[in-house]
Amino acid sequence: MTGRPAPGVLPPALRGWLGSVAGLAALVVVVLGVRYADGSKPGTVDAWIRGAVDGAGPSWRYVALALDFLGEPAGSATLVAATVTGCLLLRRPRAAVFVVAGVGLTVGTATLIKSLVGRTIHGDNLSYPSGHTAFLTAISFVVALLVSGRLGLGRAAGTLLVLAVALVAGGAMGWAQVALGAHYPTDVLGGWCTALAVTSANAWLVDRAADRLVDGTAATDRQEHR
């Protein structure tokens, strides 16, 4: 017999909608990247949003610093390790692989895009897209996707949950990055969209690779028992 030893990480009901979201997000990343390539100044929208965020009081700066820590090596490694541990305790090895691959590829893609676009802030610091925003959006997206599959949510409810969680997480980290002056608002949008595009595609790839491995193992077992 062939079959999955564990549920897929991308619920079938969500594939169509999230595929469309991933395509749209990738388009936004490309458009913004072309628009701000080799730039070093905020755009009109950037200036307007930064003006509103700059009014945050000193107490909010501590909140921003705490959120920023989650995107730093120590904070991000802790979040990933905790999520992977949870997946393994629930006997979801495929989900654990998805966490590492989804987050890793998202951050790697954001880093690659930074070098290609060449937008800078505060001198020669590459800024587009925001890696911190991409990271927190990606890991939140992954967790929400796994929860949606575990709860058996339908297409509308599942997609709404995943996008809402990603929006809240990405929005919170994005606000922190702008408030701390580490990124332009359009860098944040680029990081958020990078996470949506890469993580959605990665979920499909992880399921496809795992299914092929299962089918190949099952075929070998059948041949050995003939």
Side-chain angles (χ1 to χ4, degrees), residues 101-192:
V103 173
L105 285 176
T106 297
V107 174
T109 301
T111 302
L112 176 62
I113 295 174
K114 280 186 178 182
S115 64
L116 294 175
V117 173
R119 189 186 197 188
T120 57
I121 189 172
H122 304 314
D124 59 354
N125 297 306
L126 296 175
S127 66
Y128 179 88
S130 166
H132 280 63
T133 304
F135 166 76
L136 195 61
T137 300
I139 196 166
S140 301
F141 185 99
V142 166
V143 172
L145 194 60
L146 296 176
V147 169
S148 176
R150 189 172 183 82
L151 295 179
L153 299 181
R155 182 174 60 180
T159 303
L160 181 60
L161 172 65
V162 172
L163 294 181
V165 170
L167 179 60
V168 171
M173 180 60 85
W175 166 81
Q177 295 306 297
V178 175
L180 294 173
H183 285 282
Y184 303 115
T186 42
D187 296 336
V188 168
L189 178 57
W192 188 69

Side-chain angles (χ1 to χ4, degrees), residues 4 8 10-20 155 159 204 207 211:
R4 294 177 176 176
L10 182 60
L14 274 62
R15 288 176 184 172
W17 282 28
L18 290 184
S20 299
R155 182 174 60 180
T159 303
W204 180 83
D207 275 341
D211 290 342

Side-chain angles (χ1 to χ4, degrees), residues 24-223:
L24 180 59
L27 179 60
V28 172
V29 172
V30 172
V31 170
L32 289 178
V34 172
R35 168 65 178 81
Y36 294 106
D38 298 321
S40 59
K41 296 180 179 180
T44 303
V45 175
D46 291 321
W48 180 76
I49 295 178
R50 287 177 69 179
V53 173
D54 283 344
S59 59
W60 284 103
R61 181 173 176 80
Y62 293 109
V63 177
L65 288 171
L67 287 168
D68 180 73
F69 173 75
L70 297 179
E72 294 296 316
S76 58
T78 300
L79 278 179
V80 171
T83 307
V84 168
T85 299
C87 291
L88 295 178
L89 290 175
L90 292 172
R91 298 181 180 180
R92 296 287 303 276
R94 187 185 299 202
V97 171
F98 176 43
V99 171
V100 176
V103 173
L105 285 176
T106 297
V107 174
T109 301
T111 302
L112 176 62
I113 295 174
K114 280 186 178 182
S115 64
L116 294 175
V117 173
R119 189 186 197 188
T120 57
I121 189 172
H122 304 314
D124 59 354
N125 297 306
L126 296 175
S127 66
Y128 179 88
S130 166
H132 280 63
T133 304
F135 166 76
L136 195 61
T137 300
I139 196 166
S140 301
F141 185 99
V142 166
V143 172
L145 194 60
L146 296 176
V147 169
S148 176
R150 189 172 183 82
L151 295 179
L153 299 181
R155 182 174 60 180
T159 303
L160 181 60
L161 172 65
V162 172
L163 294 181
V165 170
L167 179 60
V168 171
M173 180 60 85
W175 166 81
Q177 295 306 297
V178 175
L180 294 173
H183 285 282
Y184 303 115
T186 42
D187 296 336
V188 168
L189 178 57
W192 188 69
C193 288
T194 297
L196 293 184
V198 175
T199 310
S200 297
N202 185 257
W204 180 83
L205 290 174
V206 168
D207 275 341
R208 187 172 179 82
D211 290 342
R212 285 186 174 181
L213 179 61
V214 169
D215 291 344
T217 301
T220 301
D221 290 342
R222 286 197 301 271
Q223 291 177 355

